[in-house]
Amino acid sequence: MSANAELDALRNLFQEKDFSSPWLERTRLCQIITNVEQDLERDHAFLHQHAAFIFEVSEKLENQTRNTIELFRQFTLGGACPSLTALCLFAMERFGVRDDVLRRLVLVASVMGEVENDMKYHSNMHYRKVLFQLIRMVAVYNDIYEGTSRVLDQRRIAILLATACIHDFAHDGKGNTIKGVYIPHRLEQNSYDLVEPVFKAAGFTNKDDLNMIRVMLLCTDVTPFKDPGNAVNQAKTAYRYHFLGGRTHWEALNLDKELGILETSPTASVMALMMHEADIATSAGLHYDITKYETGLLMEEISDGIARPENVINFLNDICNRQMLSEVGQQLFAANLARIYALAEDDFRAGNHPYPPLEKSSFVLGGMPPVVQGSKTIN
């Protein structure tokens, strides 16, 4: 079945079903599909010309990073950013995702991810960046583990792609603390509650797979900050338990019940950690000038719009723990993160002055300094 035929089938689904949410209004979704179809040939050509490098895993890290930075600049300024759907089709073609149900899952998630969200940071552009970073990570991960039982098969890849598309669906910019009270996973659970009926209507009904999507969404919740028991830190604990010598013969992890699969399934812990690291990678793992730009977007969303070096330092300490934990996260982002932290510290000591407005940022204007040379791990 052609991509257009697959999208036409989704249009029929949305015309026939009422999902009782303004975010999933049928006319809106059908128009998104029409827009995606109109640009699909253009987007396909653009990605094959400018983004094929992400599957060339033997390419030097500095070239991968530089190409990603330039591509994100084109996404931001070019006025013709490829749709999430085009990115997903591009990835599924390269990763060999051919199963009809899995493809419907990914495509319906990509269409929902195109529903306009005008938050400054948690916008549709953020979804694209996270999806792109995740595709990079899957390509490198499967290269590392080719020929082993740890390689990600088409089902797991499809679940990852779909989750990236909707990981901040319907985000309202308010975080998970309302009126001073922390509401566990408020945003993440809301995203899942909205998309689950759509996934089921599209034929994706396996309870374990749906639960995996929910768990990955919950593990993008980094609040309360510095709390070792928050969802993302439980995911990191599970990863250490399975892969970094954290397992003992005497003690279980006793994770939150809703995250229990992370303790029993090593693969689930990998997928949850990869989703989190893809979520933070653009802000933490490419280049200081992009970090400043992304921080400016976030501060415009949540406060007065003034971003300073201390905001970057707090982010890298409180959310990132100053490291990427997974092997693939280390390979792609660890050296960049270490350099970003050092530069933010330098700027903090030099007076903690506000960064330039977004339109005058080095990322927007171009001409950023060279990226870190070589493939390094820092952790």
Side-chain angles (χ1 to χ4, degrees):
M1 185 184 297
S2 69
N4 282 330
E6 290 175 306
L7 290 169
D8 287 342
L10 291 184
R11 182 186 287 106
N12 292 336
L13 169 68
F14 289 125
Q15 288 173 337
E16 294 169 1
K17 295 281 186 178
D18 181 5
F19 295 103
S20 303
S21 168
W23 287 93
L24 297 170
E25 195 274 321
R26 59 164 56 97
T27 303
R28 193 180 195 183
L29 291 164
C30 290
Q31 185 59 53
I32 287 170
I33 292 173
T34 298
N35 295 343
V36 166
E37 288 179 325
Q38 289 174 348
D39 294 334
L40 202 55
E41 186 174 345
R42 179 206 67 186
D43 290 350
H44 183 268
F46 177 89
L47 290 169
H48 276 269
Q49 181 178 354
H50 298 287
F53 70 88
I54 62 177
F55 302 105
E56 298 168 4
V57 294
S58 61
E59 186 175 7
K60 289 183 178 180
L61 175 62
E62 60 265 29
N63 293 336
Q64 279 257 353
T65 301
R66 187 179 295 108
N67 289 336
T68 300
I69 292 168
E70 182 54 37
L71 194 65
F72 283 0
R73 185 184 287 113
Q74 291 183 57
F75 282 8
T76 303
L77 305 176
C81 180
S83 66
L84 287 165
T85 305
L87 279 166
C88 286
L89 287 166
F90 181 57
M92 289 193 290
E93 175 187 333
R94 294 301 187 105
F95 291 138
V97 179
R98 298 183 178 89
D99 179 85
D100 289 342
V101 173
L102 295 177
R103 289 179 65 86
R104 278 199 302 274
L105 166 72
V106 175
L107 292 178
V108 79
S110 73
V111 170
M112 288 189 287
E114 286 292 330
V115 174
E116 183 179 5
N117 190 325
D118 61 1
M119 293 293 105
K120 287 292 186 178
Y121 179 84
H122 292 99
S123 64
N124 307 87
M125 185 63 72
H126 172 66
Y127 309 164
R128 288 179 176 86
K129 293 171 183 174
V130 173
L131 175 62
F132 191 86
Q133 299 285 28
L134 180 72
I135 295 169
R136 292 182 70 201
M137 294 180 75
V138 170
V140 172
Y141 181 92
N142 273 1
D143 181 67
I144 292 172
Y145 291 108
E146 183 179 6
T148 77
S149 61
R150 288 185 63 180
V151 75
L152 297 170
D153 60 17
Q154 64 169 324
R155 180 177 64 86
R156 291 162 178 159
I157 291 172
I159 290 170
L160 282 163
L161 295 175
T163 306
C165 288
I166 51 84
H167 79 282
D168 279 326
F169 186 64
H171 199 293
D172 59 15
K174 295 180 181 178
N176 287 335
T177 298
I178 302 297
K179 298 180 180 179
V181 178
Y182 172 62
I183 304 173
H185 322 312
R186 181 186 76 90
L187 289 165
E188 296 78 15
Q189 185 63 53
N190 182 59
S191 296
Y192 182 77
D193 289 343
L194 287 169
V195 303
E196 183 200 50
V198 184
F199 289 159
K200 288 182 175 180
F204 191 77
T205 58
N206 183 282
K207 291 182 179 179
D208 291 337
D209 290 341
L210 288 168
N211 182 56
M212 188 65 242
I213 292 173
R214 179 173 180 266
V215 167
M216 284 194 289
L217 289 176
L218 298 186
C219 289
T220 63
D221 183 1
V222 298
T223 54
F225 300 134
K226 297 185 178 181
D227 182 352
N230 69 26
V232 72
N233 282 331
Q234 289 189 62
K236 291 178 180 180
T237 297
Y239 184 86
R240 294 188 186 98
Y241 175 79
H242 291 297
F243 300 112
L244 298 179
R247 181 190 295 270
T248 73
H249 295 291
W250 311 109
E251 295 182 0
L253 294 180
N254 296 312
L255 303 177
D256 288 348
K257 184 177 180 180
E258 59 195 356
L259 302 178
I261 190 175
L262 301 178
E263 185 167 354
T264 58
S265 169
T267 301
S269 72
V270 170
M271 293 170 68
L273 183 60
M274 286 178 68
M275 186 59 58
H276 162 67
E277 291 184 344
D279 195 14
I280 64 173
T282 301
S283 295
L286 289 180
H287 193 283
Y288 186 39
D289 285 341
I290 291 187
T291 299
K292 291 187 285 186
Y293 180 81
E294 295 287 309
T295 305
L297 289 173
L298 181 62
M299 298 310 290
E300 285 199 359
E301 180 175 302
I302 67 173
S303 66
D304 57 7
I306 298 175
R308 299 175 183 270
E310 67 178 324
N311 302 125
V312 173
I313 292 171
N314 291 338
F315 163 66
L316 294 177
N317 278 325
D318 298 347
I319 295 177
C320 306
N321 304 125
R322 290 180 61 180
Q323 67 172 349
M324 295 290 180
L325 187 60
S326 71
E327 297 97 330
V328 64
Q330 289 187 41
Q331 181 167 324
L332 287 173
F333 309 120
N336 297 330
L337 188 155
R339 177 177 174 82
I340 289 165
Y341 190 87
L343 290 169
E345 281 191 316
D346 289 346
D347 282 351
F348 180 80
R349 287 192 290 265
N352 194 36
H353 300 296
Y355 295 137
L358 295 177
E359 66 274 10
K360 296 182 179 179
S361 67
S362 297
F363 171 63
V364 169
L365 298 178
M368 295 189 300
V371 299
V372 175
Q373 299 295 305
S375 177
K376 306 180 182 74
T377 57
I378 300 297
N379 303 345

